[in-house]
Amino acid sequence: MQDFSTIIIDFDSTLVQVESLEDLAAIALADAPDRAERVQAITDLTNQAMSGALRFDEALARRIPLLGARKEHISALVQVLNGKITPSLLQNLTWFQANRERLYVVSGGFREFIVPVMEPLGFKPEHIFANTFLFDEQGNITGADQTNFLSQEDGKTALLKHLNLPRPRLIIGDGFSDYQLRASGECEAFYVLTENVHRLKVVECADRVLTSFDALLQELPPAQS
Ligand SMILES: [Mg+2]
């Protein structure tokens, strides 16, 4: 059994049950006549990126214009995501809070909604790394800050190189970008979480399959001081 000094966890479909950009699209496009087509196009781009069929930066750049989202839609999204926290995370919150010093959230999603969802659960905001939105003067979301490591293809690897967190490191996630941290050597292990989504191509790359966070808690010792 190996213990880890740093545990990095993905957000979409890992800490929450959904892909948050799809929920943001559903909110922003509630009254749009072409809502179904645009949400489907966003879902398709997400799936292609998560399975490794499409570059992450290209998928992100193509999804944002489809969203049609504005600043005020973000607080509505936070409310929705609060109701879609992964069940085994909520069931084991005391373990996550006791381990907060070695826990990091690294996501290709956006800080503007991830921090308000995760901070009340006990995650440290300074341990949350994600993209940041760009807005125009009318409050429309126009893109992602391209100077952020996480807006780039394999940006999680570039970020981890930059942060130089203590080793050994574990990455837990559901997608191809999570596995890339293991492939690049930035993490010693990749555990795939299949509680919310099961991507065969990603599962095949994993060192372990977690059907829920319960399995992680059984493996790792209690809190480190
Ligand atoms: Mg994910």
Side-chain angles (χ1 to χ4, degrees):
M1 187 181 77
Q2 186 177 21
D3 200 10
F4 297 94
S5 300
T6 301
I7 300 173
I8 298 148
I9 313 180
D10 172 53
F11 181 73
D12 288 309
S13 299
T14 296
L15 291 171
V16 290
Q17 296 169 280
V18 292
E19 292 293 322
S20 43
L21 283 189
E22 293 172 17
D23 282 49
L24 180 59
I27 292 165
L29 300 172
D31 300 320
D34 57 349
R35 171 187 179 170
E37 292 86 344
R38 285 164 76 170
V39 171
Q40 187 59 50
I42 291 166
T43 302
D44 291 346
L45 288 166
T46 301
N47 284 332
Q48 287 175 48
M50 290 302 103
S51 65
L54 182 66
R55 285 175 59 92
F56 180 83
D57 49 355
E58 189 184 341
L60 187 64
R62 285 167 59 182
R63 280 182 293 178
I64 288 177
L66 290 165
L67 290 174
R70 298 172 46 77
K71 205 166 238 168
E72 61 266 27
H73 295 136
I74 294 172
S75 50
L77 175 63
V78 170
Q79 296 301 313
V80 169
L81 294 178
N82 282 339
K84 294 184 174 179
I85 308 289
T86 297
S88 72
L89 167 62
L90 290 178
Q91 286 151 15
N92 295 297
L93 259 194
T94 49
W95 183 91
F96 284 89
Q97 289 165 355
N99 283 274
R100 68 202 299 255
E101 291 303 326
R102 62 167 165 166
L103 290 182
Y104 289 79
V105 178
V106 174
S107 171
F110 288 82
R111 244 191 106 74
E112 286 86 351
F113 53 79
I114 296 176
V115 170
V117 171
M118 297 313 298
E119 190 177 5
L121 299 177
F123 285 68
K124 298 180 77 167
E126 63 270 34
H127 284 196
I128 296 173
F129 293 90
N131 277 302
T132 39
F133 283 127
L134 297 176
F135 299 92
D136 66 15
E137 286 174 7
Q138 286 76 43
N140 297 302
I141 295 173
T142 55
D145 178 3
Q146 295 295 307
T147 65
N148 189 316
F149 287 118
L150 292 166
S151 71
Q152 306 300 319
E153 168 68 13
D154 202 8
K156 291 186 178 185
T157 293
L159 174 73
L160 264 285
K161 272 194 213 307
H162 173 76
L163 292 177
N164 199 25
L165 299 169
R167 289 181 186 264
R169 306 175 193 142
L170 167 65
I171 168 71
I172 304 169
D174 63 280
F176 188 74
S177 66
D178 306 309
Y179 163 68
Q180 283 179 316
L181 283 180
R182 169 77 158 103
S184 68
E186 285 304 311
C187 288
E188 278 69 29
F190 167 50
Y191 293 179
V192 65
L193 183 80
T194 58
E195 183 169 352
N196 300 315
V197 66
H198 188 288
R199 306 182 207 274
L200 188 58
K201 228 185 129 181
V202 180
V203 170
E204 284 170 349
C205 300
D207 296 295
R208 275 203 54 186
V209 179
L210 305 176
T211 53
S212 76
F213 283 114
D214 295 349
L216 176 73
L217 272 59
Q218 284 157 18
E219 174 168 333
L220 296 186
Q224 288 190 334
S225 58

